[in-house]
Amino acid sequence: MTEGYKATLKSSETEDWLDLHVIRPFCYYCALAFNRFDIHPNTVTIWSMIIGAASAVFFGCGSFYYSGWWGLSMNIIAIVLLMVADILDCTDGQLARLSGKKSRLGRILDGVAGFVWFLPIYHAMVYRFYLHHDLEFQWLGIENTQENTVIATAVVFVLGWISGLVGLAGQQRLADYYIQIHLFFLKGEKGSELDNSKRQLEIYEAMDKNTSFVERYFQKSYIEYTKKQEEVTPQFQRLMQKLRGKFGATEYIPESIRKEFHDQSLPVIFWNGLLTFNFRSFWLFLFCLLDVPAMNFLWEIIAMGLLYTYVNRRHEAFCKKIADGLD
């Protein structure tokens, strides 16, 4: 692992095995190529959004069971496109650290990229269920009539929205937050992108009339993004409030407290990694290839929801313990 490659990583502790040994090295060479042609990281992020969203067209097609080899090929194209989108999404951060072209807008765009991918993908999966649902109806003993199809599709649509807004959005938002928290205690404020809603509101209110509508819109959205992160982590917010009250600026937090937090956080980071793209997309790909895309919604709501709850409660528990020790 070269020093140049290491410098483009947030931290090896926050990367899973696949990212660290396969995806990130490949993205490093992509970042070198983009940097050579002076391509901005935000441009790469936008490419990622477009390609990821475009994969929805192909996810909406039935695979082998319904459409033979043509359907299977459509799903394989969808999988490849989404993987390319993820590679670009990983590359933009490494490119920003390599080129020094970090920006607040880049951080915000990086946070919303996954939502831009999955919003059209989930709608395409609902449409796919409407067209192809013989397997599910056979398993459940439902007569395949137009009326039953409409009712079942409406149920799947609701499951898709719960899965997307409560499941995917909440889970990835929390996973990103815990990664930044871990980096904060590992590397300090300059080594992380740990944000808070109060500071983001100040940035928004300081924008003048010459600030573009797009930047204002994303900044306002990011305020809500950080607020939701804070709402589900009350014990961490309490801990940070105590640390600031006792030591002033965050750079004066004693190394002993940083180490204690890091040692408690590291095991949680492993489980937290399962809330991110690699593990999540494996199940999406599997359910689509098996021609039961609606099962992905149930998996995210139930299985991923339980994982989310475990990670959140375990993190909150040790934050409370450290905060109580500061009394």
Side-chain angles (χ1 to χ4, degrees), residues 13-29:
E13 292 185 355
T14 57
E15 305 286 351
D16 63 28
W17 186 92
L18 183 62
D19 275 336
L20 187 61
H21 296 283
V22 180
I23 297 175
R24 288 294 183 180
F26 179 75
C27 292
Y28 172 63
Y29 290 107

Side-chain angles (χ1 to χ4, degrees), residues 49 64 71 173 191 204:
M49 291 178 176
F64 188 74
R173 186 167 54 235
Y204 178 76

Side-chain angles (χ1 to χ4, degrees), residues 10 14 89 107-108 110-112 115 168-183 192-195 222 225-226 229 269 272-273 275-276 308 311:
K10 295 176 183 177
T14 57
D89 187 47
R107 164 66 178 146
I108 296 171
D110 191 55
V112 304
F115 306 142
L168 171 73
Q171 292 160 13
Q172 291 200 325
R173 186 167 54 235
L174 185 75
D176 177 60
Y177 197 44
Y178 283 160
I179 288 171
Q180 299 307 326
I181 291 171
H182 186 83
L183 291 172
S192 76
E193 297 172 332
L194 183 60
D195 295 320
Y222 195 54
Y225 182 88
T226 52
Q229 289 176 324
I269 285 296
N272 186 68
L275 294 172
T276 57
Y308 167 93
V311 170

Side-chain angles (χ1 to χ4, degrees), residues 263-277:
D263 291 347
Q264 294 283 343
S265 174
L266 190 57
V268 179
I269 285 296
F270 168 78
W271 297 106
N272 186 68
L274 298 181
L275 294 172
T276 57
F277 179 83

Side-chain angles (χ1 to χ4, degrees), residues 219-326:
Q219 181 62 34
K220 192 169 185 179
S221 299
Y222 195 54
I223 295 169
E224 296 304 312
Y225 182 88
T226 52
K227 277 184 179 178
K228 289 176 180 177
Q229 289 176 324
E230 293 162 357
E231 287 170 0
V232 296
T233 56
Q235 292 302 326
F236 172 71
Q237 307 309 320
R238 173 173 167 256
L239 171 61
M240 289 300 291
Q241 185 177 22
K242 283 197 168 190
L243 289 173
R244 292 191 183 99
K246 190 166 185 176
F247 303 108
T250 53
E251 60 261 32
Y252 299 129
I253 297 173
E255 185 60 31
S256 59
I257 294 178
R258 288 185 180 276
K259 185 178 185 306
E260 181 184 2
F261 188 99
H262 170 268
D263 291 347
Q264 294 283 343
S265 174
L266 190 57
V268 179
I269 285 296
F270 168 78
W271 297 106
N272 186 68
L274 298 181
L275 294 172
T276 57
F277 179 83
N278 290 342
F279 185 71
R280 179 185 305 279
S281 61
F282 168 80
W283 294 101
L284 170 66
F285 299 161
L286 179 64
F287 290 131
C288 285
L289 290 172
L290 293 176
D291 283 303
V292 285
M295 288 295 294
N296 185 70
F297 299 149
L298 291 173
W299 171 264
E300 285 202 331
I301 293 169
I302 300 171
M304 298 294 284
L306 289 172
L307 177 61
Y308 167 93
T309 301
Y310 170 75
V311 170
N312 181 231
R313 289 188 177 180
R314 185 167 172 180
H315 198 279
E316 285 286 278
F318 76 72
C319 285
K320 182 179 185 303
K321 181 180 178 181
I322 296 174
D324 289 345
L326 295 173

Side-chain angles (χ1 to χ4, degrees), residues 20 31 40 64 77 102 128 139 142 164 205 208 215 222 254 262 266 310 319 321:
L20 187 61
H40 198 280
F64 188 74
I77 291 172
K102 295 182 180 180
R128 173 172 165 171
W139 294 342
I142 299 174
E205 292 176 341
D208 57 36
E215 189 170 355
Y222 195 54
H262 170 268
L266 190 57
Y310 170 75
C319 285
K321 181 180 178 181

